[in-house]
Structures are given as structure tokens and as C-alpha cells.
Amino acid sequence: MERLKAAFTEALAAALPGMEIVLERPRSGEMGDLAFPCFKAAKALGRNPAQVAQELAGALRIDGARIVAAGPYLNLKLEPARRAAFLLDALLGPRPYGSGDPHAETVIVEYSSPNIAKLFTIGHLRSTMIGHALAQVNRYLGANVVRINHLGDWGTQFGTLLAAYKKWAEQENPRLEEDFPWAEAIPEKMRSPLYRLFQLYVRFHAAEEEDPALRDEARAWFRRLEEGDPEARRLWSWFREISLQAFDRIYRRLGVGFDHLEMGEAFYQDKLTPTLDRLEAAGILQDGENGARIVDLEDVGIATPCLVQKADGSSIYATRDVAAALYRQDTWRFDRCLYVVGSDQILHFQQIFAVAEKVDPWFKGRMVHTPFGMVNLPEGKMSTRKGNVIFLEDVLDEAVSRVTAIIDEKNPDLAGKADVAEMLGLGAVIFFNALNDRVKPITFTWDRVIALDGDTGPYVQYAHARILSVLRKAGGGWADMARPERAPSDASAAVAYAPAAVPSDLAGLAEAPAQALLFELAGLPDAMRVMAREHSATALARQLLAVAKAFSGFYTNCPILWAENAPEVRDARLALCVATARALRQGLFLLGIQAPEEM
Ligand code: ARG
């Protein structure tokens, strides 16, 4: 396909000297495989786009393809057998389909970044899975990717935790092993020291409303922590450890990894003074109200100054982010740094980026905040302070139990039911996130998330499982061709497949439904590129749905194992099945979703 694109681009460039050639993907395979919109060229020539398209159609020749004008578009349409050969070569060949050559670009993806003792919410799940997918796709396309978890392991909330622990736990429940008599009962599966730490946090915030003096106590504890007080440090590191254990369990369940889990906010403690010095040296550090230190951003159109040091001398969230940006610049000289964080922090990142650019214009254009909207659960908004948070593990467990109920009804004898339900339940939640990866808030309703016949993860997983069932029935090693050579590992974004032979006779793929499936498969590499360029998982999720739907059309209209099929027809169709299964599994894997063989 890349070669075809190059040939078409070259022919167009020769016909339109000096003009930039940008190809698009037509809306359907009926129209063609590649489209060249003639608007810009026509404008430059002072002519009508449809006429330009007509003339180009008459003048250009590409072997094995037709070039047709459709209004203002010039479409290149491959002959059916060519299309099939091109795509099957690419899909079954030695190189992971759509992957890019390794290149020197360094992309930092910062994601997940939960807060210690505030538990992991579904908002963090969005960051985790979108960030994971962006990291995967950039790796797949050949970039050097650094995956960082900017853990919330420093900050005034530790003052709160320390003060609360001293008050209500240290005497009677020092290891947080018992339930607190004053707290609400904890659901059985969530009973853990971390949960109790969270209860301390919630209680403190409630008490603080009544008695503002508590706020000073918490502040004083954070000061002690920043000053290196041994007791504060010891408790801090223990709080951190119990949180990390819980997070680790979630990451393992989700199959998500990081290159740097140690680079949370606390990592920058010893870099805060040098950072403030840098700001000072750049001449941008100013005095704010009663001794606080700020960077004014009015000149770059941001009305709110960035507070970098509080009146009491303690650091804040923003200071640590500026320090992190400088550290990452020094360490990686990155091309891009993506911050996968909710849209409630848009202003924060505008400020951080502006401060970094003031220190060094090098940062301009390299820092990207990829915001996503909040998830509205029917139960209401999530807030840690009040304690009415919807915890991620609850959501995942609920998804799995709903899927289990569906399997019990439809396929009660399914082997490995629990594993399949886990893959489908997680797949449903993750896919929903990917598909709706945008700034506006999304509403999470179970029917939309898991429906087997909707725009869901399980729908795509089902297409994959259905293909494997056809391939198993076909015998002759066909199913093995759709199986990876080894289990996917965190080390690579590519699923390991052995190259497979493309049948020489592809006449069995000439019919429209087979061609439509090929056309959608051809859209996957573009979707991956869009995903990397727009920092959004939506394009790939959509294209996987399109492939799954097109497969369903092919499966219904083009009998595969039909007794009357000539062997070449059967083989060509089976090869397309293998190619589709591989592409689906790879695409799902990039999003962080597993594909069961049976469901
Ligand atoms: N810990 C923060 C939160 O849960 C997210 C951190 C985002 N990353 C950053 N560099 N500030 O809200």
C-alpha cells in the first residue's frame, strides 16, 4: 500500500509540478483505495476542481489500477485481485502490519499518575489506558517511547494523611490492619491498609470543615516532611509502599507497564530549589501575595499566574511539574512529551508549558496535554474528598460479572470461562474509553459498554473469536496461522506472528463483501498514524469496529467452508480470515485489550 501511495503521489507530482500532494482515504472501497482532492490544485491553477480531476484521470496511468474522476476527487481504484494481493502480502508478511521503521524520535508518554492514598478512580483508568495505547502505537510506529508514571506521592495531602494518622490511627491501629470502629464498613474485597488510609483522609477532610485549625496541623506536617523530619519520612514511605502494592495489582490486571514508576512527584524534591533558581536566573520569578512566589503569564495570554512557591515556602504541584519538564529535557532531549491527564487540568498544563517556554524556548511545541473528559457514572460525579468515589476495581469487577452472566446464558459450557469473562469485561471498559477518547464528558452506561452487538470491545473480540472458530473447523493448521508465536510481552508493541504464505489464486476474493473487508483492513495503518498524530485512540477503535463489521458482511455473504467451493476459493477466503484475525488481535493489543479464541 505504501508503494502504491508513493507511485500515485509521484505520478501526481509529475502532472502538477510544484504542488503539495496530500492523499486521502475514500469513504468506501466502492470509490477506490486512494483519493486525491483537487481543490487546492484547481485553486492554484485558477480552474474548476472537477475539470482538473477529469483531465488528470485521462492523463495518469498506474499499473493494475484504474484512475477515475468523481466530482472534485481523483480516485485510484485497484483491480480486485490486485487489492487482495497487495493487502494479503502486507497482512501476512514478515513485517508487523502497519508498523513503522525504528527512528530517532523520542516520545515521552506520561500517564496513569494516581495519587497515593486517594485510590485509583475511573478517571485514572482513562489516563492509564489511553496513555498505554498511545505509548503502544508510538512504539509500533518506530518511535523511542519513554513511559512515565507521575505518581502523586508528594504534596500537601501527605500533611493531611500524616496528621490524620497521628490523630486516629497511631495509638490503636498503627499498622492499619483493623477496621476503624468510626468508619463505614469496607466491602470485603477492598479491605486493605490502603483503604483505611483513604478513610483517614476522608475523615480528616470532614473534620476540617468544622475545625479549620486542623488545616494548619496538616500544613505543619507537610512542612516537616519537606524538611526531612525522620518520622514524617518514615510514615510517608510506608504510605507510599502500601499504595504502590495496590496500584501494581491493578497494572498487572490491565497488562500495563511503565519504564519509570519511580519518577513520581517526590522524585523531584531535590530538584525544586535548582528549578526555582532557574526561574530566578531567567528573570521570571516574582513576588506574589505575602511572600509567595509566582511566574506571571499575562504576556502570553494566560490571566492566572503560575504559583510556584507558597507563602510558607513549601512547594506545590506546579513546581514539581516544572522541575519534571526540565529534568526530562536534560535526560531525554525528547521530541514530544504527552501528558495524558483529564480536562480539569487544562489550565494547569497551559501554565506549566508557558513557564517552561519562558525558561527555554526549546520547549515550544514539544509539550502536549491530551485531555479527556470526565466519566459520568449514573451514580454521580467522582470526588475523593467526600469519599463517594467510584473505584476502578469495582467498575472492572462489575463489567466482568455482567459478562459472566451473558456467557452463562449463551455459552454455559465455554472452557476457561473465568479468563474469557475477564478479557471481555476489561475489553468492554477499555474499548469504551478508547472509542470515546475526547474532551467532552462521557456517560457510562452498562448497556452501551458491553453489548455484544453494539460498538463495543466485545463486538470486535467476537469477530476475532468467530474467525478462529471457522479456522479451527477448516483444520489443516489454519487456526495456528492466526495464533501468535509467543505470548505478547511488555517489551514489544507487536504481536509475534510467523509470516504466512499468500495463496496465488485470489479470485475467491473478488466479490464486493470480501473487497469491502480488504478496504477496511487497508484503513488500519492510517488509523494508527492518525492516533499518533492526534494523540487519541478513537481512530483505531473506530477502524477496528469497521473491520469487524466488514468481516460480518463477508462471513454472511461469502461462504468459506462451503462444500461446493473450489479449493482455491476456500483457501483464498481462509487466508483473508487469518489476515483479519491477526489484524484484529494486533489492533486490540495496541489498545490494551486481549482477544480470546472462543467466547
Ligand atoms: N496525580 C494527578 C491526579 O491524579 C495527575 C498527574 C498528572 N501529571 C502531571 N504531570 N501533573 O490528578
Side-chain angles (χ1 to χ4, degrees):
M1 264 307 173
E2 291 306 310
R3 260 179 291 138
L4 182 69
K5 253 185 212 166
F8 192 33
T9 308
E10 205 177 293
L12 282 164
L16 301 167
M19 273 176 223
E20 197 200 355
I21 309 295
V22 182
L23 298 180
E24 290 179 3
R25 193 175 136 75
R27 248 173 300 117
S28 84
E30 297 284 287
M31 300 166 77
D33 299 90
L34 295 171
F36 175 66
C38 297
F39 305 102
K40 274 201 190 139
K43 196 162 176 208
L45 297 168
R47 315 242 327 264
N48 165 329
Q51 259 177 3
V52 174
Q54 280 293 345
E55 280 179 25
L56 288 170
L60 302 184
R61 293 275 165 277
I62 296 233
D63 228 22
R66 284 193 302 132
I67 297 183
V68 229
Y73 288 90
L74 184 69
N75 292 334
L76 176 147
K77 189 171 179 184
L78 285 167
E79 289 162 8
R82 272 294 172 114
R83 193 187 250 178
F86 261 142
L87 278 154
L88 289 185
D89 272 344
L91 282 152
L92 299 175
R95 178 201 189 114
Y97 180 58
S99 64
D101 288 325
H103 53 267
E105 191 188 26
T106 295
V107 181
I108 297 179
V109 188
E110 191 216 271
Y111 57 107
S112 196
S113 313
N115 299 315
I116 299 270
K118 287 203 203 161
L119 299 207
F120 204 106
T121 68
I122 192 159
H124 293 113
L125 171 75
R126 300 211 75 192
S127 170
T128 306
M129 295 319 300
I130 294 170
H132 173 74
L134 293 177
Q136 288 284 81
V137 160
N138 278 292
R139 291 211 290 189
Y140 197 69
L141 296 179
N144 167 34
V145 173
V146 183
R147 304 167 303 173
I148 299 181
N149 191 327
H150 191 75
L151 210 60
D153 56 1
W154 202 252
T156 38
Q157 77 267 28
F158 284 93
T160 308
L161 283 171
L162 287 164
Y165 176 83
K166 294 293 282 183
K167 240 184 214 343
W168 300 306
E170 190 175 41
Q171 294 308 318
E172 58 279 7
N173 194 3
R175 300 301 302 163
L176 300 174
E177 273 156 1
E178 322 283 323
D179 284 354
F180 293 116
W182 45 263
E184 249 178 78
I186 310 175
E188 184 52 41
K189 61 174 192 257
M190 297 185 109
R191 297 178 70 192
S192 63
L194 178 61
Y195 199 97
R196 294 180 193 108
L197 201 55
F198 169 69
Q199 289 181 318
L200 285 171
Y201 182 82
V202 173
R203 176 168 180 188
F204 196 90
H205 275 295
E208 203 180 49
E209 309 258 296
E210 308 285 300
D211 178 5
L214 286 178
R215 216 157 286 165
D216 297 327
E217 239 174 83
R219 236 175 254 146
W221 269 107
F222 182 54
R223 282 293 305 247
R224 285 176 68 174
L225 182 63
E226 288 221 292
E227 282 158 6
D229 174 277
E231 184 184 13
R233 299 294 300 215
R234 182 176 51 76
L235 286 170
W236 166 80
S237 107
W238 177 54
F239 293 163
R240 185 173 187 276
E241 195 183 306
I242 54 183
S243 300
L244 276 176
Q245 277 165 11
F247 297 151
D248 190 55
R249 198 178 60 232
I250 296 173
Y251 294 139
R252 256 185 289 152
R253 183 170 183 191
L254 293 170
V256 165
F258 297 92
D259 302 305
H260 298 285
L261 193 53
E262 81 292 2
M263 280 183 195
E265 292 187 47
F267 179 77
Y268 301 99
Q269 286 161 68
D270 62 349
K271 299 169 182 66
L272 297 175
T273 310
T275 299
L276 291 174
D277 292 346
R278 278 285 289 278
L279 301 186
E280 182 88 79
I284 56 174
L285 199 57
Q286 295 179 4
D287 290 330
E289 269 163 52
N290 36 26
R293 309 281 271 161
I294 60 164
V295 176
D296 189 278
L297 299 171
E298 199 135 17
D299 60 322
V300 291
I302 302 171
T304 330
C306 184
L307 179 67
V308 288
Q309 187 173 37
K310 285 204 208 161
D312 67 3
S314 60
S315 70
I316 68 158
Y317 184 52
T319 330
R320 297 186 283 277
D321 258 324
V322 175
L326 294 171
Y327 178 82
R328 290 171 192 176
Q329 175 193 32
D330 268 358
T331 311
W332 291 288
R333 306 298 300 179
F334 57 85
D335 294 278
R336 251 167 309 134
C337 180
L338 310 183
Y339 293 83
V340 188
V341 186
S343 54
D344 50 338
Q345 297 194 27
I346 287 178
L347 174 63
H348 169 75
F349 285 108
Q350 283 173 344
Q351 292 178 318
I352 298 307
F353 297 175
V355 172
E357 280 170 35
K358 273 180 189 278
V359 176
D360 190 342
W362 179 91
F363 282 102
K364 204 165 179 55
R366 290 173 197 260
M367 314 268 271
V368 185
H369 176 206
T370 70
F372 50 80
M374 290 305 286
V375 185
N376 293 325
L377 289 132
E379 288 84 347
K381 207 179 135 92
M382 300 164 289
S383 148
T384 320
R385 287 196 169 206
K386 299 199 193 72
N388 59 343
V389 199
I390 308 298
F391 296 121
L392 169 71
E393 284 182 289
D394 272 354
V395 175
L396 297 181
D397 290 345
E398 171 86 19
V400 172
S401 90
R402 283 175 184 256
V403 168
T404 307
I406 298 177
I407 298 178
D408 279 337
E409 190 194 309
K410 299 204 166 167
N411 191 2
D413 305 324
L414 178 69
K417 199 154 64 175
D419 288 343
V420 175
E422 173 81 6
M423 291 187 216
L424 296 180
L426 264 51
V429 175
I430 296 170
F431 193 88
F432 182 78
N433 269 311
L435 188 64
N436 297 289
D437 165 15
R438 49 180 90 118
V439 180
K440 71 172 195 248
I442 58 172
T443 301
F444 192 97
T445 47
W446 284 113
D447 294 345
R448 282 180 55 210
V449 175
I450 52 183
L452 274 181
D453 52 1
D455 288 350
T456 65
Y459 177 78
V460 179
Q461 290 167 310
Y462 180 60
H464 173 268
R466 190 145 74 155
I467 297 173
L468 267 119
S469 132
V470 173
L471 294 173
R472 280 193 304 270
K473 277 194 208 121
W478 281 99
D480 282 338
M481 290 167 62
R483 294 190 177 114
E485 286 190 291
R486 54 192 124 70
S489 85
D490 188 51
S492 166
V495 178
Y497 287 113
V502 177
S504 54
D505 184 339
L506 297 174
L509 302 180
E511 287 168 53
Q515 291 289 311
L517 173 55
L518 287 163
F519 175 75
E520 297 307 347
L521 288 165
L524 284 169
D526 284 342
M528 293 171 197
R529 281 171 177 79
V530 171
M531 187 170 158
R533 193 173 59 231
E534 296 179 356
H535 322 299
S536 150
T538 308
L540 182 56
R542 281 215 191 112
Q543 195 57 32
L544 289 170
L545 282 172
V547 170
K549 282 181 193 156
F551 175 76
S552 164
F554 167 66
Y555 179 82
T556 323
N557 298 300
C558 303
I560 301 167
L561 301 176
W562 194 36
E564 284 162 46
N565 271 352
E568 316 78 78
V569 169
R570 180 176 177 267
D571 285 358
R573 291 182 180 171
L574 284 168
L576 179 55
C577 285
V578 171
T580 308
R582 289 183 174 199
L584 288 175
R585 196 197 285 251
Q586 175 66 63
L588 288 171
F589 182 63
L590 291 175
L591 297 179
I593 300 173
Q594 287 184 278
E597 285 196 13
E598 248 181 294
M599 59 188 265

